[in-house]
Amino acid sequence: MTSAEAMRRTLCAAAPERRAIELRGALAALPADARDEWVDDVLDVDEVLDDGPDLPAGCVPYLPTSVDVIVSALELASVDRHDVFVDVGSGVGRVTTLAHLLTGASAIGIEVQAGLVERSRALTRALDLDRVETIHGDASELIETLSTGTVFFLNCPFSGARLERVLEALRSIAAARTIRICCLHLPPLVQPWFELIGAPWPELAVYRSTAGRGTKAS
């Protein structure tokens, strides 16, 4: 088994293609119930953190996503180095970092809690990842500005009006090109411009936008 310390050295020094191969191989060699703790050790992040006072009402507290679910989402959404992966409610940057390391995609996190943003940016600096960034702000107000995004990751960041605003912004983006949306702990999306790619885990569903079927705002 590759130690967390050895993998961290590899991630800091190896070329992107080698990092992905080494990380995928190490994860595959680990028992499923050991992967989350090992990744947290590699990235030096805490599994559970207290939420700060800047978490708005209606937003869900930080919820870490299991490594196996992240990998399944990346594979089902066919994420590769040409994609721009956007994590809505990105916490300490665990998902954006893994998305970039495993696929080579550029990754953008949006996080409203300043303390989590600083942790995420510190992780990016520690691993010297120049294609990973974290934006501080409310995703329901910022998502429309991320028109370069091609894959969007939503781990139940909020519900109600905030979620509706994000979905409407994604509809505008999808009018220009096909996007994929990875949803965790959310009700099934019923908008006519989505089609389900698959739902390999009870909490995970991955969708693709469908050109010509409700993608343009009315």
Side-chain angles (χ1 to χ4, degrees):
M1 182 182 75
T2 305
S3 71
E5 183 179 351
M7 179 54 63
R8 190 175 181 86
R9 289 196 299 268
T10 296
L11 297 180
C12 290
E17 296 80 5
R18 176 51 55 184
R19 290 188 308 208
I21 291 171
E22 294 289 339
L23 183 55
R24 286 182 179 275
L27 288 173
L30 284 167
D33 61 0
R35 290 171 188 151
D36 288 309
E37 182 177 357
W38 182 81
V39 164
D40 288 344
D41 287 343
V42 171
L43 302 183
D44 191 24
V45 298
D46 296 322
E47 183 176 358
V48 179
L49 296 172
D50 292 333
D51 291 290
D54 47 352
L55 181 68
C59 289
V60 176
Y62 172 59
L63 298 171
T65 306
S66 79
V67 171
D68 284 351
V69 170
I70 295 169
V71 172
S72 293
L74 296 173
E75 292 177 347
L76 201 54
S78 301
V79 182
D80 64 27
R81 64 186 182 86
H82 302 292
D83 282 305
V84 177
F85 180 94
V86 179
D87 184 10
V88 177
S90 55
V92 297
R94 196 167 176 264
V95 174
T96 49
T97 299
L98 284 177
H100 171 67
L101 292 173
L102 290 170
T103 70
S106 297
I108 301 171
I110 307 175
E111 175 54 51
V112 72
Q113 297 191 68
L116 299 183
V117 171
E118 288 307 311
R119 291 290 301 274
S120 180
R121 291 174 176 171
L123 173 58
T124 299
R125 290 192 298 269
L127 296 178
D128 194 23
L129 304 178
D130 59 3
R131 297 184 67 198
V132 180
E133 65 174 307
T134 304
I135 297 173
H136 182 204
D138 187 333
S140 67
E141 299 173 358
L142 293 173
I143 193 72
E144 198 166 15
T145 68
L146 299 177
S147 58
T148 58
T150 58
V151 182
F152 295 84
F153 190 89
L154 286 72
N155 181 5
C156 191
F158 29 58
S159 58
R162 287 176 181 272
L163 180 59
E164 289 301 319
R165 287 200 297 271
V166 168
L167 293 176
E168 185 61 26
L170 293 180
R171 181 171 75 152
S172 297
I173 295 171
R177 65 178 177 282
T178 300
I179 62 174
R180 289 91 78 204
I181 304 176
C182 307
C183 297
L184 278 79
H185 306 289
L186 285 173
L189 301 184
V190 296
Q191 286 77 2
W193 52 278
F194 282 126
E195 62 179 6
L196 180 67
I197 299 175
W201 295 79
E203 67 268 38
L204 171 67
V206 180
Y207 301 84
R208 180 191 296 112
S209 63
T210 306
R213 280 171 42 191
T215 56
K216 293 186 179 180
S218 56

